[in-house]
């Protein structure tokens, strides 16, 4: 079955963790007294970039800014579909300045950027499936932003309610495998949202809480290769059973801030 999975070349936007630290607490993973090994974080991040490039993907980078320790989490900066950029408006005041720097990068690259009026945290809560946008709410991005996204892109937006604070963004509880299927942790969602996902994706790969707590749902797939936390061993085995190729990349230093592979990766869809 593995040979039937076809990878699709992707273009990613990232930000070096030169100034990465845990200086405040805005999710259950963060504790300001946590020591971050910046050298290790940079090496882990470089390993992720090398993995993307080895597998044929293009990677562009935003210059990191002192005083913005979470800027490394590029996924939260925007969502890009069809070359159109819907920017971010962060819930936490500490992160709001990041939007200016990402917006500038996109504008310099020739993109128009829509500034949301409602709280919206980019691909953290907005997941493009190839047909519609799955949109998380409950902790960060608001339902008002979901409506803005639908008006901006003209694609259907399906709202999903997150209920476990450990999975405060949709990209900690769900990721897209390819145009036909997803992986998700059901208990991260409200009962109604679980029913919606079951109807939309009856053949989805279901994850356990252990998978999710290991940041296994904060993964990136190119349709064949799945860049995944090595701590999510059981999920990697299930993905292999479904014909995907797990590519383990350890971003354990970033787990201290509640982030992982997907959090560090913004996809630019032309």
């Amino acid at each position: 079955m593995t040979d039937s999975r076809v990878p699709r070349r992707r273009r990613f936007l990232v930000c070096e963790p030169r100034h990465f630290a845990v200086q405040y607490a805005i999710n259950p993973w963060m504790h300001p007294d946590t020591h971050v090994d910046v050298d290790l974080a940079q090496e882990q991040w470089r390993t992720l970039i090398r993995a993307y490039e080895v597998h044929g993907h293009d990677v562009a980078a935003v210059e990191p800014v002192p005083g913005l320790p979470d800027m490394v989490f590029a996924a939260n900066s925007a969502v890009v579909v069809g070359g159109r950029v819907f920017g971010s408006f962060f819930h936490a005041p500490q992160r709001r300045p990041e939007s200016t720097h990402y917006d500038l990068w996109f504008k310099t690259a020739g993109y128009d950027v829509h500034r949301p009026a409602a709280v919206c945290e980019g691909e953290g809560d907005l997941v493009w499936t190839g047909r519609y946008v799955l949109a998380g709410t409950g902790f960060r991005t608001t339902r008002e932003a979901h409506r803005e996204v639908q008006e901006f892109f003209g694609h259907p937006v399906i709202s999903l309610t997150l209920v476990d604070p450990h999975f405060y963004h949709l990209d900690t509880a769900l990721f897209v495998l390819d145009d036909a299927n997803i992986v998700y942790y059901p208990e991260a969602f409200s009962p109604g949202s679980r029913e919606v996902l079951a109807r939309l994706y009856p053949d989805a790969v279901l994850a356990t809480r252990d998978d999710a707590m290991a940041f296994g749902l904060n993964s990136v797939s190119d349709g064949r290769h799945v860049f995944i936390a090595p701590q999510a061993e059981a999920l990697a085995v299930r993905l292999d059973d479904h014909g995907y190729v797990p590519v383990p990349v350890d971003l354990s230093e970033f787990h201290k801030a509640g982030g992982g592979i997907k959090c560090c990766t913004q996809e630019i869809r032309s």
Side-chain angles (χ1 to χ4, degrees):
M1 185 185 295
T2 299
D3 291 340
S4 68
R5 303 293 183 191
V6 179
R8 181 181 300 169
R9 187 172 183 174
R10 307 299 173 98
R11 187 175 185 222
F12 298 131
L13 181 63
V14 299
C15 182
E16 179 191 349
R18 195 181 308 159
H19 310 294
F20 177 58
V22 179
Q23 297 177 345
Y24 43 77
I26 58 174
N27 67 56
W29 304 91
M30 300 178 82
H31 303 282
D33 57 350
T34 298
H35 170 71
V36 170
D37 186 332
V38 177
D39 290 338
L40 176 58
Q42 288 185 303
E43 179 54 36
Q44 290 180 341
W45 180 84
R46 285 192 291 267
T47 299
L48 176 63
I49 304 312
R50 287 194 295 269
Y52 285 152
E53 292 174 340
V54 164
H55 288 84
H57 304 300
D58 297 323
V59 181
V62 172
E63 184 68 14
V65 177
L68 297 178
D70 283 341
M71 196 170 167
V72 63
F73 298 129
N76 304 151
S77 66
V79 59
V80 185
V81 178
R84 306 187 72 198
V85 181
F86 190 97
S88 62
F89 176 29
F90 287 94
H91 180 267
Q94 297 95 326
R95 296 200 63 186
R96 287 178 186 168
E98 296 176 30
S99 299
T100 300
H101 301 286
Y102 278 102
D103 288 356
L104 178 60
W105 186 92
F106 279 113
K107 289 175 182 177
T108 302
Y111 295 89
D112 291 327
V113 179
H114 174 81
R115 299 291 315 125
V119 171
C120 182
E121 300 202 344
E123 285 190 328
D125 275 323
L126 302 169
V127 177
W128 174 244
T129 68
R131 292 176 289 171
Y132 37 73
V133 178
L134 298 178
T137 191
F139 298 101
R140 300 289 184 85
T141 300
T142 64
R143 288 186 181 273
E144 288 76 14
H146 295 182
R147 289 191 282 271
E148 271 193 84
V149 168
Q150 181 164 284
E151 288 300 312
F152 180 71
F153 286 122
H155 291 294
V157 172
I158 297 168
S159 294
L160 302 169
T161 301
L162 297 161
V163 296
D164 186 327
H166 282 92
F167 313 114
Y168 57 94
H169 272 157
L170 186 59
D171 71 359
T172 64
L174 177 154
F175 72 94
V176 171
L177 283 166
D178 49 39
D179 289 344
N181 212 359
I182 65 170
V183 183
Y184 70 99
Y185 168 48
E187 284 70 26
F189 298 92
S190 67
S193 296
R194 290 200 296 270
E195 290 186 24
V196 168
L197 288 170
R199 286 190 170 92
L200 290 175
Y201 296 100
D203 299 318
V205 178
L206 300 184
T208 66
R209 184 173 182 82
D210 287 344
D211 298 326
M213 292 294 286
F215 288 84
L217 281 300
N218 199 241
S219 297
V220 170
S221 172
D222 64 13
R224 185 170 193 265
H225 308 101
V226 179
F227 303 89
I228 187 170
Q231 295 85 355
E233 295 179 9
L235 180 56
V237 170
R238 290 199 295 283
L239 290 170
D240 182 73
D241 290 342
H242 282 76
Y244 298 93
V245 180
V247 180
V249 182
D250 186 12
L251 291 192
S252 55
E253 280 304 292
F254 299 94
H255 297 179
K256 297 174 180 178
I261 292 170
K262 176 55 192 172
C263 287
C264 291
T265 309
Q266 162 72 236
E267 184 171 352
I268 303 175
R269 303 173 188 84
S270 299

